[in-house]
Amino acid sequence: MSFSSLKPIINIATGKPLMAVYEINLTCNSQCGYCDLPLNQGRRELSREQIQAMFEHLYAEGLRYVFLQGGEPTLRKDLPDVMSDLKELGFDITLITNGTRITAELIESLEQVRASISISLDTLHKERYRRIRGADQLGLVLRGIERLRDYSQPKYITCIVSEINRDDVLDVVRFSREQGFIPVVGAYHWDIERYGKVDNELQYQKQMAASVFQKVLNSELVPSGYFNNYLKDNIDWLNDRPLHACDAGRYSIAIDASGNVAPCLALKHAGNLLESNLTDILNKFDRQAIKRCSDNSSCNMMCSRVVGSNLRNPIAAIRTPDRIPAGL
């Protein structure tokens, strides 16, 4: 077995990253009320060549999974080329998108690199969608989901619970199953470090939101395994019960469009991959800030917890399906 093959195993044993959340671009065609990711603030997007060189280094460091997001990643014209480069390097790719620009050409590119896709959909109600997302684009998303009906790779619909859509969540979960998507339900977080915009219209009473998650759990529409456990994590968080310590900066990192690296999207970056190697940057992470964020919020964003949660719950990981048939 080559050292390259062993490196991810070594990372698991030593608590080093396997996954990167990469903000591939700085433009977006939505203005979501719960998103506070800074765009175009003294930063620039990396070229295709710079991205390839950066991920060559990350692959050598043992990373094997990448979540591509933005902004809205489908607005980047060379996205298919970048995905092809990442696949050729050996990465497992997940595209995180608002679903407004799902074309036949994009689907073909996704099939070629065998990418998973996650589409954000919080409601099936046109006006509530506009209020949450800041744009009247529900029709585009629904058409995109229809185009993905026969998509052969893992596909997910992620619904974020807020005060506006709490009565719509179960309908979104049912719709996801009908379309052959695995439903993923998360909670709106606000005022947590740098992540999560404070939006009075979206804020909920925790007990009210917890009852939404409990209804989804009771419906048994979310498949067993990791995503079912994720529902339970949300219920615990909303009831002020502690979760496991966050794995941000341990099994996962966040990389912004300019190559700056942080433990997760909520925390400050500690270095740039165009100037420093990953090991040096990891050594500069503020571990107390990570602990403080985890202790104060019990934040359950999947990007920071998915690897560690599956390692702590291997049976649940094995039981987690990556595909489900269309229909209930």
Side-chain angles (χ1 to χ4, degrees), residues 260-311:
N260 297 312
V261 182
C264 81
L265 296 169
L267 298 169
K268 295 179 180 180
H269 67 76
N272 188 289
L273 285 167
L274 302 186
E275 303 166 355
S276 305
N277 64 53
L278 180 61
T279 299
D280 290 343
I281 295 173
L282 292 176
N283 289 335
K284 295 177 182 177
F285 279 172
D286 186 342
R287 301 291 171 175
Q288 287 301 115
I290 298 171
K291 183 179 186 304
R292 184 169 61 250
C293 183
S294 180
D295 289 346
N296 291 339
S297 67
S298 295
C299 176
N300 57 352
M301 290 186 287
M302 281 191 300
C303 57
S304 298
R305 291 190 178 272
V306 61
V307 178
S309 294
N310 282 328
L311 289 174

Side-chain angles (χ1 to χ4, degrees), residues 144-159:
I145 289 171
E146 176 59 30
R147 291 188 182 111
L148 286 161
R149 189 169 184 85
D150 296 323
Y151 188 62
S152 67
Q153 303 304 313
K155 53 186 183 179
Y156 309 91
I157 286 177
T158 299
C159 178

Side-chain angles (χ1 to χ4, degrees), residues 89-109:
L89 286 171
F91 281 94
D92 187 292
I93 301 166
T94 298
L95 181 68
I96 299 174
T97 171
N98 60 22
T100 60
R101 294 169 55 86
I102 304 297
T103 63
E105 292 76 15
L106 176 65
I107 293 172
E108 182 178 355
S109 296

Side-chain angles (χ1 to χ4, degrees), residues 33-94:
Y34 49 65
C35 179
D36 200 26
L37 293 177
L39 300 178
N40 297 317
Q41 295 183 8
R43 296 183 296 159
R44 63 179 181 85
E45 297 174 11
L46 300 182
S47 68
R48 176 186 175 186
E49 293 73 22
Q50 288 174 314
I51 294 171
Q52 185 175 28
M54 180 172 71
F55 277 93
E56 282 180 356
H57 169 61
L58 293 176
Y59 188 87
E61 290 291 330
L63 279 79
R64 295 294 183 268
Y65 304 94
V66 56
F67 285 10
L68 290 179
Q69 63 171 58
E72 169 48 43
T74 60
L75 291 170
R76 179 153 175 155
K77 293 181 180 179
D78 64 355
L79 175 65
D81 296 324
V82 172
M83 291 194 299
S84 180
D85 293 340
L86 293 173
K87 188 64 177 180
E88 188 172 341
L89 286 171
F91 281 94
D92 187 292
I93 301 166
T94 298

